[in-house]
Amino acid sequence: MFPNVYFCISFLPPPRSVGVSKFLQIQKSNYSLPAIGKNWKSLAAQAAGISCCLRDSSTKYYDFSVIGSGVAGLRYALEVAKHGTVAVITKAEPHECNTNYAQGGVSAVLCPSDSVESHMHDTIVAGAYLCDQETVRVVCTEGPDRVRELIAMGAMFDHGEDGNLHLAREGGHSHHRIVHAADMTGREIERALLDAVVNDPNISVFEHHFAIDLLTSQDGPDTVCHGVDALNTETQEVATGDGMAMAHRAEAVISNMEFVQFHPTALADEGLPIKPQKARDNAFLITEAVRGDGGILYNLDMERFMPLYDERAELAPRDVVARSIDDQLKKRNEKYVLLDISHKPRDKVLSHFPNIAAECLRHGLDITQQPIPVVPAAHYMCGGVRAGLQGETNVRGLYVAGEVACTGLHGANRLASNSLLEALVFARRAVQPSIDHMKCSSLDVSASSWWARPMVPNSLKSDVIDDILSTTRKVRKELQSIMWKYVGIVRSTTRLETAEKRISGLESQWEEYLFERGWKQTMVGLEACEMRNLFCCAKLVVSSALARHESRGLHYTIDFPHVEENTGGVSAALDMVPAPNGETFFGHPSGRVCDGRLIIDFIAERLKLPYLSAYLDSIGTDFRHGANFAASGASIRPGGFSPFHLGRQINQFIRFKARTTALHNEFASKRKPGKVPPPCIENLPEPTEFPKALYTIDIGQNDLAYGFQHSSEEQVRTSIPDILSQFAEAVHQLYKEGARAFWVHNTGPIGCLPDSFLHNPQNPGSLDQNGCLKTQNEVAREFNRQLEEMISQLSKQLPQSAFTYVDVYSAKYQLISTCKNEGFVDPLKFCCGIYKDHRIHCGEKATVNGSVYGLCEDPSKHISWDGTHYSEAANHWVANHILDGSLSRPSFSVENACHQVSKSDASTQFVE
């Protein structure tokens, strides 16, 4: 459990592909272990802990181990301590964590005029529509209870004159919902939690212990976490990306590294009347609440500039404000701007912001009379170790919460004061699965001897150690300079590539220097390990930024200044979706004819496939794993509605495969030892991955629907054999290219689509009991019957194939027939707009056969988004009903479909 480590990231390739240095490879090799049995108690935030390499060379065992002493770690520790012993490993003093320095507060819906829906809306708007909707719903719904628990534990938040909690407002929020303790909220939360921890006999806190690496092994295809190597040290430094780097080396999936949040208003020491005597190790932040309380931003000519950039002015989200300040500084060649709160009553300013007022007064500035000099400063990562809704990761036994986790809440930009809330919610959600895992595990007390112990460099002379420390500190400053100069608020491909080269060169020089001075492969030291982690995180940031060819949220690049909306759906099959194509759940253009995730997204999510975004990017961007090679929603035959017919898509897929294979081969032939593939190659699948993919095909609707609009239903029925013949030909092509595992969805109840009623007159006798067109659904069922027969034939014709036929029709028709019980409205209405010339016009309404079609207030209650395609909410419902395999033949869950053994070669497994 990495509760408060500073760095976070969406999908990046496995560790090998971001350029793991010789130093890292050496370190990792010392902790590898051959595959072992399944019955080992795991640690690192959840089950039996082995904290190795303490100063006294002892090995200690705990039921749960927690790395970090922030709000997530301590809250988690207090809960699991009810079920076993807990070790909390903290880098410095327990209070030295990011939680302690959080000024603003915790956002939660605690006012009757506020709502969960409003909080969700604000979160996703701030996150540039890249948030995971279910995660946002969970956090915003459960957040108020987590805040009340803190109060019950003794956390003392500010109250208003009416006796109720005083709720502040910050940038990006539409309501006052920030619970706070003046401008020292984090300190108060940390105090309350530490008091409880100190009084809990089941919790042991290891101060000044630096976590070096996770102890992992392989159990078949799974990586299992067993413990953590910890070095006893004395330091006050924090936040160097240690948890995220450790998880990365343990092959945990890392996400959204490109989204580095810059706090827009850090105290600019250059503008203070009395300058600090030495440079600060960490920027002193001026809380978001100052702007929320009426603070105004001016340039040095006292010109207010935020209204020029955004209609929300100073209350715009952090990414907007930070870029606006950056633009002002560059245009005017100035070092800082001014944040003025002096127009507010003196007593209120001092009561709301006592810590800020005191710090400024130490340097000769009275914030009740003078504006505060401020400048943006790197502050927070919106991604991290990819976590599920229970804090689980792809590494068995490893749970994450807090800043190290990427839960999908923040998307491309964190909404103010959502971080503490996220930490509280996910720390609590990780408890029960951790306990369950602990109870079903067993412990071998000899386990700690299976990993080589790192050693401190006692054999080196003191002057050598001093030289190494001095050089490492210089290298650290140089790395920070590179990141600020080339990977800052505004980016470009050229600058990112320059950063990539300079970081790689700097790391190589540093490692060579260490080994020349006698550093051994198994040696560890605080500053050396921190430097290793900083290099790891920096490379992940740069690699991820180069991979995102758009500007979204915190990632702004001048080479791709717009949001890339051609994601998911058809573009997952290598084609672009033409506009206009509907909107997302929150009214943002989506670039896909659906309001968010498709069934294919939920399949990828269930398989725990890494992808850039759970909400919009879906699986259509990196083409690395199974479901990314989907032909979803295309026509089988050329013509009709879609130019993206199956034959064309497969031809493009073949060219794509040939090109990626050629690129990999070309690079391999020229590769020098230690050389890292460039991003254009490392983000492509290896040639060996193509036959391992799960080829997911969800087609049929377009062919039948087009036929219904342009011919009789009987003619459509007679065309089915020809349609399926072309489908079989396409499958044969894929098989020749190495495809082996196929997950095939049949077509849905076309007679229940609202679009069918726009193009086909109906009378009461033509409708079934649920209001669907009977004859169209009869044809759809006949198509599905023949499709299942065709799959049976293909299974015999292609001896190494593994087919799963999925009855999506039954799931969709069940949803239609029980829609109101499931929280949906009339299934024959749709949400986005109306068709004209086969295009969706989202700003209009129309009356067809007495029914009104058009814009709706809540897309999540509609089954159809645009008359033809299902909404995200409906896709989610359908996915939940097919993924367990109950509607599949053979009755395989989607996970098992990925692991079917070839009929002709029992040694071959088709994995994702």
Side-chain angles (χ1 to χ4, degrees):
M1 187 107 183
F2 303 126
N4 68 320
V5 183
Y6 211 64
F7 277 87
C8 322
I9 5 182
S10 183
F11 169 65
L12 286 176
R16 56 180 171 80
S17 62
V18 294
V20 179
S21 67
K22 179 182 178 183
F23 183 79
L24 297 186
Q25 289 172 334
I26 291 169
Q27 293 297 316
K28 189 178 190 307
S29 68
N30 289 320
Y31 307 116
S32 62
L33 188 69
I36 63 174
K38 297 181 179 179
N39 295 321
W40 295 108
K41 220 173 217 187
S42 3
L43 292 129
Q46 92 15 320
I50 305 170
S51 299
C52 294
C53 200
L54 306 180
R55 177 168 291 175
D56 61 358
S57 298
S58 66
T59 298
K60 298 184 183 298
Y61 298 88
Y62 294 87
D63 294 312
F64 305 91
S65 291
V66 178
I67 303 176
S69 58
V71 59
L74 297 184
R75 190 68 190 90
Y76 172 89
L78 287 167
E79 289 298 320
V80 295
K82 301 171 185 176
H83 302 270
T85 56
V86 186
V88 176
I89 301 169
T90 182
K91 197 170 176 180
E93 302 290 340
H95 63 271
E96 284 292 329
C97 60
N98 293 327
T99 296
N100 194 53
Y101 296 103
Q103 296 176 336
V106 187
S107 59
V109 177
L110 294 165
C111 175
S113 63
D114 198 0
S115 67
V116 168
E117 290 72 20
S118 177
H119 193 181
M120 289 179 61
H121 179 269
D122 293 346
T123 298
I124 294 182
V125 169
Y129 304 91
L130 211 61
C131 307
D132 180 88
Q133 183 182 335
E134 185 59 26
T135 299
V136 175
R137 187 182 301 279
V138 163
V139 172
C140 294
T141 301
E142 298 181 7
D145 285 343
R146 303 291 83 83
V147 172
R148 294 184 186 102
E149 288 173 355
L150 283 179
I151 295 172
M153 294 174 62
M156 300 175 66
F157 299 119
D158 289 356
H159 288 69
E161 295 178 357
D162 59 0
N164 295 320
L165 285 170
H166 182 272
L167 302 177
R169 184 181 176 189
E170 297 179 355
H173 289 274
S174 59
H175 288 76
H176 288 76
R177 62 167 71 101
I178 313 302
V179 180
H180 63 99
D183 59 351
M184 297 172 283
T185 308
R187 186 181 304 176
E188 174 58 21
I189 293 174
E190 189 75 6
R191 179 203 62 77
L193 292 174
L194 281 173
D195 284 350
V197 165
V198 168
N199 293 318
D200 194 313
N202 268 3
I203 301 177
S204 300
V205 179
F206 291 89
E207 300 177 6
H208 301 292
H209 279 74
F210 181 83
I212 301 170
D213 260 318
L214 301 178
L215 304 177
T216 63
S217 69
Q218 288 300 122
D219 180 11
D222 295 337
T223 300
V224 185
C225 183
H226 300 272
V228 59
D229 265 330
L231 176 67
N232 192 337
T233 183
E234 299 292 334
T235 178
Q236 296 298 318
E237 297 183 84
V238 293
T240 53
D242 307 308
M244 194 277 295
M246 281 192 295
H248 178 68
R249 291 193 291 271
E251 301 188 4
V253 174
I254 308 295
S255 302
N256 289 359
M257 191 61 171
E258 67 270 34
F259 299 123
V260 182
Q261 187 171 69
F262 285 76
H263 196 293
T265 55
L267 185 63
D269 290 341
E270 288 185 87
L272 292 171
I274 303 174
K275 308 293 188 295
Q277 294 183 354
K278 64 176 183 177
R280 300 176 192 269
D281 291 331
N282 296 297
F284 183 86
L285 304 180
I286 307 300
T287 175
E288 202 93 354
V290 172
R291 287 185 286 117
D293 222 28
I296 298 175
L297 285 165
Y298 298 97
N299 58 35
L300 296 190
D301 286 335
M302 292 306 292
E303 298 169 338
R304 187 183 184 188
F305 57 84
M306 275 310 303
L308 301 176
Y309 295 92
D310 193 284
E311 62 183 10
R312 293 164 291 186
E314 283 78 11
L315 290 179
R318 291 182 177 185
D319 62 324
V320 176
V321 178
R323 279 197 300 273
S324 302
I325 294 175
D326 182 72
D327 187 58
Q328 283 284 306
L329 298 180
K330 289 175 178 175
K331 283 180 178 178
R332 298 173 58 84
N333 193 30
E334 294 173 348
K335 298 296 181 65
Y336 55 87
V337 297
L338 301 171
L339 176 60
D340 190 21
I341 192 71
S342 63
H343 54 282
K344 292 291 184 177
R346 176 183 177 86
D347 59 337
K348 288 190 177 181
V349 171
L350 294 178
S351 64
H352 288 179
F353 311 112
N355 189 41
I356 294 171
E359 177 65 19
C360 290
L361 199 58
R362 286 180 54 217
H363 300 285
L365 190 145
D366 181 354
I367 68 171
T368 68
Q369 301 292 325
Q370 302 162 278
I372 308 167
V374 295
V375 68
H379 175 52
Y380 190 92
M381 289 295 302
C382 287
V385 183
R386 172 62 72 176
L389 287 175
Q390 306 299 322
E392 75 276 16
T393 70
N394 64 305
V395 177
R396 186 145 43 94
L398 177 66
Y399 292 78
V400 292
E403 283 190 62
V404 79
C406 180
T407 66
L409 174 69
H410 304 309
N413 179 43
R414 176 176 67 103
L415 180 65
S417 291
N418 263 3
S419 55
L420 291 177
L421 182 73
E422 177 197 39
L424 289 167
V425 169
F426 276 88
R428 190 66 183 82
R429 291 180 72 85
V431 169
Q432 191 56 51
S434 300
I435 295 168
D436 293 342
H437 187 92
M438 184 268 290
K439 289 181 177 179
C440 70
S441 302
S442 61
L443 175 67
D444 187 326
V445 294
S446 67
S448 64
S449 64
W450 296 350
W451 291 272
R453 294 194 177 206
M455 61 182 183
V456 293
N458 291 330
S459 60
L460 300 183
K461 295 180 179 180
S462 59
D463 61 331
V464 172
I465 293 292
D466 290 342
D467 288 346
I468 288 176
L469 289 175
S470 176
T471 299
T472 299
R473 288 164 186 165
K474 291 178 182 178
V475 169
R476 182 166 175 163
K477 289 183 179 179
E478 176 63 17
L479 177 62
Q480 291 170 335
S481 175
I482 292 170
M483 293 299 287
W484 179 258
K485 185 174 181 179
Y486 297 105
V487 199
I489 296 174
V490 177
R491 302 165 176 173
S492 71
T493 301
T494 299
R495 296 173 74 80
L496 289 171
E497 289 174 345
T498 299
E500 189 173 49
K501 292 176 183 176
R502 292 193 59 180
I503 292 169
S504 178
L506 184 64
E507 183 180 36
S508 296
Q509 292 172 15
W510 174 68
E511 289 179 1
E512 289 174 8
Y513 174 82
L514 258 64
F515 292 126
E516 286 172 358
R517 301 292 288 168
W519 194 269
K520 302 299 182 183
Q521 296 177 354
T522 56
M523 286 182 177
V524 294
L526 172 66
E527 297 201 37
C529 287
E530 285 185 339
M531 194 70 247
R532 168 178 72 160
N533 293 337
L534 285 168
F535 273 123
C536 176
C537 292
K539 290 189 293 183
L540 288 169
V541 170
V542 174
S543 177
S544 190
L546 280 168
R548 183 170 288 278
H549 292 175
E550 66 168 350
S551 290
R552 188 188 290 270
L554 299 166
H555 174 68
Y556 183 86
T557 169
I558 60 175
D559 297 308
F560 305 97
H562 304 294
V563 172
E564 174 55 67
E565 298 295 1
N566 299 309
T567 54
V570 178
S571 61
L574 311 181
D575 268 310
M576 296 174 64
V577 182
N581 290 300
E583 299 177 344
T584 66
F585 183 90
F586 292 104
H588 192 69
S590 68
R592 60 196 292 180
V593 279
C594 178
D595 72 319
R597 287 183 285 179
L598 309 173
I599 291 176
I600 195 73
D601 299 270
F602 295 109
I603 291 176
E605 187 173 63
R606 174 66 66 87
L607 293 175
K608 300 187 185 305
L609 299 183
Y611 41 84
L612 289 176
S613 161
Y615 184 66
L616 281 182
D617 282 351
S618 173
I619 55 166
T621 307
D622 69 293
F623 302 104
R624 174 163 293 275
H625 290 279
N628 288 353
F629 308 127
S632 178
S635 301
I636 296 175
R637 297 191 295 184
F641 292 135
S642 175
F644 313 118
H645 58 86
L646 189 56
R648 177 184 171 186
Q649 291 192 19
I650 289 176
N651 287 334
Q652 288 182 310
F653 166 72
I654 292 171
R655 290 196 296 271
F656 172 73
K657 180 188 172 193
R659 179 61 178 154
T660 56
T661 301
L663 285 171
H664 277 292
N665 291 340
E666 180 182 1
F667 177 78
S669 66
K670 300 177 181 178
R671 184 169 190 170
K672 297 178 182 179
K675 184 169 178 61
V676 179
C680 64
I681 294 177
E682 69 178 7
N683 290 332
L684 298 176
E686 297 280 354
T688 54
E689 290 176 343
F690 286 92
K692 298 177 182 178
L694 177 64
Y695 289 78
T696 308
I697 305 176
D698 184 340
I699 50 181
Q701 176 177 305
N702 281 0
D703 296 272
L704 299 186
Y706 182 82
F708 290 140
Q709 292 188 21
H710 296 86
S711 59
S712 68
E713 290 167 355
E714 188 56 36
Q715 288 173 319
V716 176
R717 188 187 297 269
T718 58
S719 71
I720 292 175
D722 179 60
I723 295 173
L724 292 179
S725 175
Q726 295 185 49
F727 163 75
E729 181 181 343
V731 171
H732 275 274
Q733 278 188 280
L734 286 173
Y735 187 82
K736 289 178 182 178
E737 292 298 318
R740 292 296 182 265
F742 299 89
W743 177 266
V744 183
H745 297 175
N746 64 15
T747 195
I750 296 172
C752 299
L753 294 173
D755 182 64
S756 297
F757 295 87
L758 294 176
H759 296 92
N760 297 276
Q762 66 276 349
N763 56 66
S766 66
L767 306 179
D768 66 13
Q769 68 273 19
N770 292 307
C772 300
L773 293 169
K774 288 190 291 188
T775 54
Q776 288 197 5
N777 280 350
E778 288 171 359
V779 174
R781 288 195 295 271
E782 176 60 22
F783 174 91
N784 291 338
R785 186 189 66 79
Q786 293 188 35
L787 173 64
E788 188 170 13
E789 289 181 354
M790 177 63 73
I791 289 174
S792 178
Q793 295 173 24
L794 288 169
S795 183
K796 296 175 183 176
Q797 294 168 4
L798 308 175
Q800 292 183 333
S801 64
F803 284 89
T804 305
Y805 172 83
V806 185
D807 186 10
V808 172
Y809 181 100
S810 293
K812 289 185 174 180
Y813 193 80
Q814 181 183 348
L815 175 58
I816 298 294
S817 61
T818 62
C819 64
K820 293 184 179 179
N821 292 336
E822 302 296 335
F824 293 89
V825 298
D826 185 349
L828 303 184
K829 293 183 181 295
F830 61 93
C831 186
C832 180
I834 64 169
Y835 272 117
K836 288 182 180 178
D837 301 323
H838 303 302
R839 284 181 174 265
I840 307 163
H841 292 253
C842 289
E844 302 179 39
K845 291 185 179 180
T847 301
V848 181
N849 297 320
S851 297
V852 177
Y853 295 84
L855 296 176
C856 61
E857 293 182 358
D858 189 352
S860 71
K861 295 186 180 301
H862 285 258
I863 291 174
S864 177
W865 172 249
D866 57 13
T868 301
H869 300 86
Y870 276 41
S871 68
E872 175 178 306
N875 282 329
H876 193 190
W877 191 97
V878 173
N880 286 339
H881 283 71
I882 66 173
L883 287 174
D884 64 359
S886 61
L887 294 175
S888 302
R889 292 187 283 274
S891 184
F892 284 125
S893 68
V894 69
E895 291 92 342
N896 289 333
C898 281
H899 295 272
Q900 293 186 61
V901 179
S902 168
K903 297 176 182 177
S904 64
D905 184 358
S907 67
T908 302
Q909 281 192 318
F910 300 105
V911 298
E912 67 271 17

